[in-house]
Amino acid sequence: MRAARGPKRPDYMGNPDLDRFMMMFSALMSEVSALRERLDTHELLAVAGKVATPEAIEEFAISPADMARRSALRDAYLKRIFRVVFEDLERAERGPDGSIAGPEETPTRDSA
Amino acid sequence: MTQTRHAVLPEQTHDEASREAFCGSMRKLFTEQLWPGVRDVYEAQARAAFERRTGHAPANVREVRESLEPSFFYRTANLIGRSAQELLWDTVGESIERQIDDLNARAADIHDAKGSMRLDPDLAVPRYMDMVDIHVMPGNFHTELGEGDVFAAALYDRGVHHFAYGGMGPENEFLGIAMSNWLKANFPDFAPKRILDMGAGPGFSTLPWKRLYPNAEVFGVDISAPMVRYAHARAESLGVAVHYSQQDAAHTDFADESFDLVTSCLLTHENPVPQIRAMFAESHRLLRAGGMMFIDGAHPPAANHEDEFFTTWFNYNANEPFAVGLRKLDLEEAFVTAGFPAENYFTSGAREAVYLKGMAGHKTRSSASAGYRGTIKA
């Protein structure tokens, strides 16, 4: 059961296919993140002098410090991926001087 | 933060834990940076651009939205928020699907219960619950996938944990603790002997009441059989005696004047106004004289159309269609209409949204809550 009932998905990018591609892209981001953390577990097991068998990976108990480190890595990973999104925000936050993109320069629905 | 283990909490493989944590990180990005950033873009650019174009500042919610539509940041921020919401349920759902038989078996395997459970297979699901899956959670709170099923509740327990990226507490209990503590601090002489939690779900808010008033008999009702099964197994596993039953909170089978406290936590905003009024009337019937109705579930007040826009993201992007109706409902009037004396109305006043306190980042400007509301039966 993976489809929610109710109103249809709102229109975000002016093209529902583009919205659905973001959904796929999100799942792919999640998969890369999971892969990165599995690699991290390999490294932590190696540091402890253990072999990273599938069983050792499943039994691995992460420390609170490593958990926090991974959380920070995920935050940084997301910021890197969405750099062009935050670029827009940074321009807006710079305040009303010449460096701000006016509404004319803001990408519109048509150009997106 | 990790969740407190209990008998029906879903297991995670190494990779499931990573995927679920990623959903939490994406939710955090949206909550703490993207959505607050939309307000920055609005104030720094969009409002003025709209005014230049039309000759007036955005005058209503629709025009605030219109002013932001040209912004790539706004559109992408929203889409990322929606993607995180969908990915969360899908990720947790996949993990629960593979272990659902085991979870159902564990939910049924209860011995020497301190509390109890009653199911009602003939209970009709109201139409408003079957029309829309709240939070875009597939199946909503009540869908039953088979005999002895707990899927919806397991999905919600794990899902809420990641939705709030741990900020709801190890048992998703922080809201329940906060509201029960507020009541005890403000009514120190009130010692309820029988407490009813309406729309109890997996029991996030029910257990804190029993822990705070250990001598009270605590009851929880929910319309969803999967929630009631799961809540019962969870409470027993955590060693807290609660009596759960599958009932519509607006029409229960409890006797008149059989409770000292009738409460609910984040229930009202997921219900249409006629259902809310019916629950208030039922609360009045169930309370003895001097008994208290006490809710956490008012929508934050919006000072103007801009605040209204910036505090209603979930209404328009994550299937919370009823919250707008609640915002327009005058709770003080609704309590009086349900039979409570006007002079007995009380409120904590606006407060910070408790669940954000546990979160690592800064508070967002949309984190205000309307606070608790309550009243006392004459």
Side-chain angles (χ1 to χ4, degrees):
Chain A
M1 191 173 40
R2 302 293 178 81
R5 292 162 299 182
K8 69 181 174 78
R9 189 178 284 129
D11 171 15
Y12 294 100
M13 291 298 181
N15 178 346
D17 291 351
L18 206 53
D19 293 348
R20 282 185 280 192
F21 267 92
M22 176 63 101
M23 307 286 161
M24 293 187 235
F25 181 58
S26 301
L28 182 61
M29 282 192 291
S30 168
E31 213 51 41
V32 172
S33 176
L35 216 77
R36 178 67 189 82
E37 293 190 358
R38 200 170 174 94
L39 184 60
D40 188 56
T41 298
H42 274 255
E43 291 165 358
L44 291 171
L45 284 169
V47 168
K50 292 178 183 160
V51 178
T53 60
E55 292 74 23
I57 288 171
E58 290 306 327
E59 281 163 20
F60 174 73
I62 189 167
S63 71
D66 281 322
M67 211 170 191
R69 180 177 56 81
R70 283 184 184 181
S71 177
L73 286 172
R74 287 194 302 272
D75 292 346
Y77 165 74
L78 282 163
K79 287 300 281 280
R80 284 197 294 278
I81 289 173
F82 291 127
R83 182 192 63 80
V84 293
V85 180
F86 283 97
E87 193 177 82
D88 243 32
L89 178 62
E90 194 182 309
R91 284 210 196 92
E93 282 173 342
R94 251 181 234 156
D97 58 36
S99 64
I100 296 181
E104 297 79 15
E105 295 165 56
T106 307
T108 63
R109 213 167 251 276
D110 298 333
S111 63
Chain B
M1 184 183 287
T2 50
Q3 285 185 282
T4 307
R5 301 268 316 219
H6 57 74
V8 279
L9 188 75
E11 304 285 342
Q12 296 166 302
T13 64
H14 179 281
D15 292 359
E16 283 169 352
S18 287
R19 290 190 196 104
E20 291 175 7
F22 176 80
C23 296
S25 296
M26 208 168 154
R27 278 271 317 131
K28 180 179 164 194
L29 183 82
F30 175 74
T31 306
E32 297 186 3
Q33 299 193 47
L34 292 170
W35 188 242
V38 169
R39 188 146 199 164
D40 292 340
V41 167
Y42 176 73
E43 283 166 6
Q45 286 184 335
R47 182 165 48 197
F50 183 91
E51 202 167 346
R52 279 198 298 277
R53 202 166 63 242
T54 65
H56 68 277
N60 53 47
V61 170
R62 187 178 49 78
E63 288 187 349
V64 174
R65 186 178 303 119
E66 234 175 82
S67 79
L68 282 160
E69 286 286 334
S71 160
F72 175 74
F73 180 82
Y74 166 70
R75 284 178 280 131
T76 316
N78 271 354
L79 179 52
I80 292 169
R82 172 73 182 212
S83 300
Q85 193 76 14
E86 292 195 30
L87 186 66
L88 171 69
W89 303 122
D90 198 56
T91 301
V92 178
E94 183 185 341
S95 165
I96 292 171
E97 273 173 7
R98 70 157 173 89
Q99 56 184 314
I100 188 63
D101 291 344
D102 185 41
L103 290 174
N104 292 346
R106 281 193 266 156
D109 185 29
I110 294 166
H111 307 280
D112 307 319
K114 298 163 83 176
S116 64
M117 170 179 83
R118 285 190 290 140
L119 295 174
D120 178 5
D122 298 325
L123 184 64
V125 174
R127 192 165 168 271
Y128 75 88
M129 277 201 78
D130 239 5
M131 280 163 44
V132 50
D133 288 345
I134 299 287
H135 306 140
V136 293
M137 182 173 96
N140 209 358
F141 299 109
H142 64 286
T143 299
E144 237 177 321
L145 299 177
E147 209 176 314
D149 176 54
V150 298
F151 181 87
L155 180 62
Y156 194 59
D157 193 359
R158 178 71 86 206
V160 165
H161 174 73
H162 291 298
F163 171 85
Y165 35 105
M168 291 283 199
E171 294 175 19
N172 289 320
E173 79 283 42
F174 283 175
L175 289 173
I177 289 176
M179 85 179 286
S180 53
N181 282 345
W182 186 90
L183 190 76
K184 192 165 191 177
N186 286 274
F187 295 87
D189 298 330
F190 182 61
K193 293 193 193 77
R194 279 171 59 99
I195 299 173
L196 174 62
D197 191 18
M198 289 181 160
F204 302 155
S205 56
T206 326
L207 271 52
W209 286 109
K210 177 65 182 174
R211 285 175 173 145
L212 193 65
Y213 296 106
N215 296 325
E217 265 192 297
V218 175
F219 296 76
V221 294
D222 202 285
I223 209 154
S224 156
M227 288 291 172
V228 169
R229 288 187 194 103
Y230 187 92
H232 176 53
R234 179 180 179 271
E236 291 302 323
S237 174
L238 292 169
V240 183
V242 177
H243 304 286
Y244 284 106
S245 53
Q246 183 190 6
Q247 303 198 59
D248 185 334
H251 313 281
T252 69
D253 62 8
F254 298 115
D256 291 356
E257 305 187 11
S258 56
F259 286 94
D260 306 291
L261 172 64
V262 177
T263 183
S264 68
C265 184
L266 301 194
L267 175 68
T268 44
H269 76 291
E270 311 295 16
N271 285 274
V273 167
Q275 173 73 8
I276 297 171
R277 288 189 182 277
M279 288 191 293
F280 292 168
E282 179 69 357
S283 302
H284 186 266
R285 180 185 76 80
L286 293 175
L287 287 169
R288 62 160 174 82
M292 202 179 281
M293 177 170 78
F294 182 58
I295 65 168
D296 180 359
H299 220 280
N304 53 48
H305 56 282
E306 292 175 345
D307 271 0
E308 169 97 16
F309 175 80
F310 286 105
T311 53
T312 47
W313 189 87
F314 284 90
N315 306 146
Y316 300 107
N317 294 280
N319 285 5
E320 285 204 333
F322 305 122
V324 172
L326 173 64
R327 192 194 282 272
K328 293 190 176 113
L329 178 66
D330 176 352
L331 285 171
E332 208 169 335
E333 171 273 309
F335 287 4
V336 170
T337 303
F340 295 93
E343 64 273 20
N344 286 358
Y345 174 83
F346 65 88
T347 172
S348 66
R351 62 187 175 83
E352 285 177 346
V354 172
Y355 81 89
L356 286 170
K357 286 184 181 166
M359 297 180 173
H362 63 278
K363 308 278 192 309
T364 70
R365 276 167 298 187
S366 59
S367 69
S369 154
Y372 312 121
R373 311 292 178 102
T375 186
I376 297 164
K377 186 170 173 176

